[in-house]
Amino acid sequence: MAHGNWMRRRTALSSLMALGATSSGLGPVFAQSGKSALNLAMVAEPPTLDIQSTPADLVCIIMQHVYEPLFTFDAKAAIVPMLAEGMPKISADGKSYGVTLRKGVMFHSGREMNSDDVVASLKRWMEVSPRGKSVAAQVVDLSAKGPLAIEITLKNSYAPLLSQLAMASGMAAIMARETLAQPLREFVGTGPYRFKERRPDQYVLLTRFDGYSARKEAASGYGGKRVAVVEELRFVPVPNANTRVEGALAGQFHYADLLPIEALGRLEKAPDKVVPIMTPSFGFPYLVFNTKEGAMSQQALRKAAQIALGEGEMLAAGFGDTRFFIAEGNHFPKGTPFYSTAGTDHYNERDARKARAAAEQAGYKGDTIRILTSRQYDFHYNMALIMAEQLKRAGLKAELNVVEWATLLQRRADPKLWDIYITHSGQFPEPMLSPPQLGDGAPGWWSSEAKKEALSALNQEPNPTKRGALWGKVQQVVYDEVPYINVGKFASLSARAPSLQGYTPYTYPFFWNTGLKG
């Protein structure tokens, strides 16, 4: 995927169809009651609505309409201001960032945002977010410098800071300070939509915020002017992927997220009802190892598992159609600044005999290796089936624990409950944005001197060209210590109704600047 186009998640497979089909067949739950409303099929029930506390895509997709960050990414992946008035003033030594805030930005409660809200929100983010915790380790001081200015002082130069503050998932969201709590009970932000209602297993309902303070710049990516065109956004949990397909074909949903690859043919045959959307190298599935407790806390056994696994076979099981995956061990695509082949001789080994010998040498005694996965993302489950078989061929006792996605997100926080879990991430332009395992405190709990040394060198180097080579050293440590395995790259498939106007595909789909025809 071309560097700079990382966010363009889903490009229409076919040319834009003749517009005119309207949504129909909406059940009583989705009745529009004379209001303009979008019905949006999501993969599951969100585990929380606290966008700071989790890097889960689903929470981000919904709550990015309610909350906003200081900075965000435009269509070319450049960092641009959102709640900040402009780009920060950075000291010559790279240790001090001065940020001026936009004047007249209103919270959904009707109060104007100020620097006290921003400082309190960022301090909470640094306590509850895996990304925030990694930033907190770099921060010496965070304080208000007047009603509309803050200053962040760092221990050392930290190149990823603005990318971390701009990232949509696990967002450094600015919240009304009087609502801050753990857990969060009120959801008061500055976004174009406000939180209205959550009915578990039915929908999360957001309504237009008439007091929204939009930026003046033209819309670009997540940046620029945001307009709440429709009055309501209804995010509907539809865990069964085939049900999302049928709902899209029946006109029940204006948008359906992450559809099974095998549905592409059916979608293409119904251009009057649905527009299929695909993005090459949308993201990467990865396997996280529990380095804290259990069998996989032993590095030598993780190496044995690495030898046993055939990522190519796993990708084929997960995606089937070769147009939808690339089996390669480099974490970043060729042609991007962070492309490296370091350690990739350990990718896709699929050598059961060698793995068995390595496990025996590691002193493996037949402990059960618990693989935590979910059917909400069908490719996770299909890959897990193959992985379990590959481990069994190497003499490792693998067991699948299949749970709801929200349950997986809860269980992965407890090191006593799992040994490997499967997830995926978008392909982002900054290594420290994903996966969370590169930070501190994310489930998996990877910590080592080699990690600290390699990441410190990467993050303290401000020169983008030099950082590319330093990423190769980090990638080598990942292959050596096996805290996680990057399985490869995959394309995503989703769909929209032909009546949906102004929708632009991005990593985390958003629905401001989006309306309905007719």
Side-chain angles (χ1 to χ4, degrees), residues 31 38 130 203 251 273 407 495:
L38 297 184
Y203 57 75
K273 296 179 179 177
T407 304

Side-chain angles (χ1 to χ4, degrees), residues 144-452:
K145 299 294 178 183
L148 290 174
I150 68 162
E151 186 172 62
I152 303 170
T153 308
L154 305 172
K155 296 175 185 174
N156 302 289
S157 171
Y158 182 62
L161 178 63
L162 292 183
S163 292
Q164 296 276 27
L165 292 175
M167 186 63 182
S169 79
M171 185 192 289
I174 305 307
M175 304 174 168
R177 64 185 180 277
E178 62 272 14
T179 67
L180 298 181
Q182 187 59 16
L184 207 61
R185 292 182 179 84
E186 296 179 79
F187 307 99
V188 180
T190 60
Y193 287 90
R194 62 198 300 170
F195 173 74
K196 178 68 180 293
E197 181 184 18
R198 178 181 186 174
R199 290 194 181 180
D201 300 319
Q202 292 188 52
Y203 57 75
V204 173
L205 175 63
L206 309 182
T207 60
R208 181 162 58 204
F209 175 42
D210 292 329
Y212 179 63
S213 311
R215 292 197 69 91
K216 301 294 189 287
E217 301 92 338
S220 175
Y222 299 96
K225 189 174 185 179
R226 298 178 174 184
V227 179
V229 179
V230 298
E231 294 171 78
E232 294 184 348
L233 302 179
R234 294 171 183 257
F235 293 90
V236 184
V238 187
N240 185 291
N242 290 321
T243 305
R244 292 198 297 280
V245 173
E246 298 302 330
L249 286 167
Q252 189 176 14
F253 304 117
H254 299 101
Y255 176 85
D257 204 25
L258 292 179
L259 303 179
I261 306 309
E262 58 270 20
L264 177 58
R266 289 189 65 202
L267 298 176
E268 288 178 319
K269 289 174 184 174
D272 59 324
K273 296 179 179 177
V274 70
V275 180
I277 305 165
M278 171 189 173
T279 293
S281 287
F282 157 63
F284 57 96
Y286 63 103
L287 319 173
V288 180
F289 290 83
N290 183 346
T291 68
K292 193 173 187 177
E293 291 187 32
M296 287 300 162
S297 62
Q298 189 183 356
Q299 183 178 332
L301 194 58
R302 298 198 299 273
K303 290 289 287 184
Q306 181 184 54
I307 294 165
L309 296 183
E311 287 87 346
E313 188 181 12
M314 291 172 63
L315 289 165
F319 301 99
D321 190 326
T322 54
R323 289 179 292 172
F324 281 87
F325 69 87
I326 305 169
E328 59 182 21
N330 44 290
H331 289 200
F332 289 88
K334 198 165 188 176
T336 69
F338 295 103
Y339 170 75
S340 173
T341 58
T344 56
D345 51 328
H346 296 297
Y347 176 80
N348 206 27
E349 288 190 69
R350 198 169 167 246
D351 190 329
R353 184 178 297 177
K354 183 180 170 186
R356 187 184 292 267
E360 287 174 3
Q361 193 172 351
Y364 177 63
K365 303 294 186 196
D367 293 343
T368 299
I369 296 168
R370 298 157 297 173
I371 301 169
L372 189 58
T373 190
S374 167
R375 288 180 185 264
Q376 259 66 53
Y377 297 99
D378 55 333
F379 65 96
H380 288 191
Y381 176 70
N382 292 335
M383 289 194 308
L385 289 173
I386 295 297
M387 176 170 62
E389 289 307 310
Q390 291 172 345
L391 293 176
K392 287 172 185 174
R393 286 202 293 267
L396 300 172
K397 188 180 176 184
E399 172 187 280
L400 284 192
N401 291 344
V402 185
V403 297
E404 293 291 314
W405 182 243
T407 304
L408 184 148
L409 294 176
Q410 290 171 344
R411 286 196 187 177
R412 72 180 182 183
D414 187 342
K416 292 181 168 46
L417 298 181
W418 61 277
D419 299 297
I420 306 173
Y421 79 83
I422 300 182
T423 186
H424 69 273
S425 170
Q427 189 79 58
F428 304 125
E430 162 58 53
M432 293 308 296
L433 293 180
S434 180
Q437 280 62 36
L438 293 177
D440 294 318
W445 305 282
W446 179 36
S447 179
S448 76
E449 286 306 312
K451 172 191 179 181
K452 289 174 188 172

